[in-house]
Amino acid sequence: MSHEWIRALNQLDADATPGVMITQVNERGSTPRNAGTKMVVSQDHQFDTIGGGHLEYKAIKIARQMLEQKQSKPRLERFSLGASLGQCCGGATTLLFEPLNTGTVQIALFGAGHVARALIPVLASLPCQIRWIDSREGEFPANIPEGVEKIVSEYPVDEIDSLPANSYFIVMTHNHQLDQALAEAILKRNDFEYFGLIGSKTKRNKFSHRLQAKGFTESQIARMICPIGIGEIQGKLPAEIAVSIAGEIIAHYNDAFGSDQQSTPVDASIVERLAI
């Protein structure tokens, strides 16, 4: 019997990668697999199988929709394995979908200067998976906190396309032209959860004018937060700025998770009857 789903759970947990565990909780009549069969689905991969065919295809589609919608509560779905699913088993089954690591915030931080080096340990202590990106190898500290992936890239802008939807982007590089290029690439994606650009109100005004000249709309530009951080914290030390930014990130993701109204809760009586 394959236990790939167990290894997948461990790996997803270690990487803080969101996923969904799918469990066949009952079987009536003929079904491809027995009750208790499990598989794990992430946004890009699937591990193990609940029998293949259209049932599995449908289950994977539901799981990835849950990930896209950032659903955090489990849900039950019943399936008849007849003509509607294109399977000849003729039985019926119920699947339990359990989101994993949905509280993990995906953050891309561009720049490895003084403020970034103060900010990274704070973010690493939160439920975050962080990609720390800079072109300068020597700017990174010798020890990188757990949960942080160091990426040395000659072309940091190219990293944006590889990041998942609903990511948090923090831009604080050593170069205003690079900041501008990153801002354009992030705003073009328009599928991010948060985009903060370090700088003053003067910098924001300059960037806004340049972005407007390149065809970005006011609503797109309005999604760029600059200056970043909690306004009440006025300190200029890297640690003070880092705490201010981290506070804003925490406030933002708490608000985002609190607004999750799309998931379907599991009826406890149903779970009890199924003897999960």
Side-chain angles (χ1 to χ4, degrees):
M1 179 181 293
S2 172
H3 294 291
E4 185 183 0
W5 66 270
I6 298 177
R7 293 190 292 272
L9 285 181
N10 292 332
Q11 190 60 54
L12 292 180
D13 184 62
D15 296 339
T17 300
V20 176
M21 183 164 68
I22 303 170
T23 305
Q24 183 176 337
V25 295
N26 73 350
E27 52 183 309
R28 296 192 298 276
S30 178
T31 60
R33 292 289 189 273
N34 295 329
T37 301
K38 298 177 183 289
M39 70 180 297
V40 173
V41 175
S42 69
Q43 195 62 58
D44 301 315
H45 299 95
Q46 63 189 71
F47 308 90
D48 256 328
T49 178
I50 55 170
H54 198 62
L55 171 65
E56 184 167 295
Y57 170 82
K58 186 81 170 178
I60 292 171
K61 184 176 180 180
I62 291 171
R64 288 186 172 146
Q65 285 175 339
M66 292 175 69
L67 291 173
E68 289 171 3
Q69 296 170 2
K70 296 188 294 184
Q71 295 184 18
S72 59
K73 297 178 182 178
R75 60 189 276 189
L76 287 169
E77 294 284 347
R78 294 174 176 80
F79 299 90
S80 296
L81 305 180
S84 62
L85 281 181
Q87 297 193 209
C88 58
C89 301
T93 189
T94 302
L95 301 181
L96 173 64
F97 296 80
E98 297 177 274
L100 311 165
N101 300 323
T102 54
T104 302
V105 177
Q106 305 285 329
I107 297 179
L109 193 159
F110 293 87
H114 296 299
V115 174
R117 291 197 295 272
L119 177 59
I120 281 291
V122 181
L123 295 179
S125 68
L126 301 172
C128 300
Q129 181 181 14
I130 305 158
R131 293 172 175 86
W132 192 7
I133 305 159
D134 200 298
S135 61
R136 305 164 298 165
E137 170 79 42
E139 290 298 312
F140 290 98
N143 297 315
I144 304 296
E146 185 177 350
V148 179
E149 179 185 4
K150 182 184 79 173
I151 300 175
V152 180
S153 174
E154 187 176 356
Y155 304 104
V157 177
D158 292 347
E159 301 297 323
I160 291 174
D161 286 342
S162 65
L163 294 161
N166 302 310
S167 289
Y168 284 56
F169 291 93
I170 305 172
V171 174
M172 48 177 62
T173 80
H174 62 293
N175 186 299
H176 276 216
Q177 289 184 332
L178 178 55
D179 284 355
Q180 176 81 31
L182 288 165
E184 292 175 13
I186 294 166
L187 292 176
K188 281 179 182 176
R189 281 195 55 159
N190 203 35
D191 62 353
F192 54 88
E193 185 64 37
Y194 170 96
F195 166 33
L197 171 68
I198 198 167
S200 63
K201 292 181 180 179
T202 300
K203 180 177 179 179
R204 179 188 176 82
N205 290 336
K206 288 181 179 178
F207 272 48
S208 295
H209 290 313
R210 294 172 185 170
L211 291 166
Q212 287 174 351
K214 294 200 171 186
F216 288 90
T217 65
E218 289 186 10
S219 60
Q220 285 178 299
I221 298 170
R223 298 196 66 197
M224 177 180 71
I225 299 173
C226 180
I228 53 176
I230 298 173
E232 289 78 7
I233 300 178
Q234 298 291 328
K236 300 299 182 183
L237 295 175
E240 293 170 330
I241 299 171
V243 169
S244 173
I245 295 170
E248 183 171 87
I249 295 290
I250 293 168
H252 192 93
Y253 72 61
N254 280 341
D255 182 64
F257 293 152
S259 65
D260 177 16
Q261 300 295 328
Q262 303 179 65
S263 50
T264 303
V266 173
D267 184 328
S269 64
I270 295 176
V271 174
E272 185 177 353
R273 289 200 303 272
L274 293 172
I276 297 175

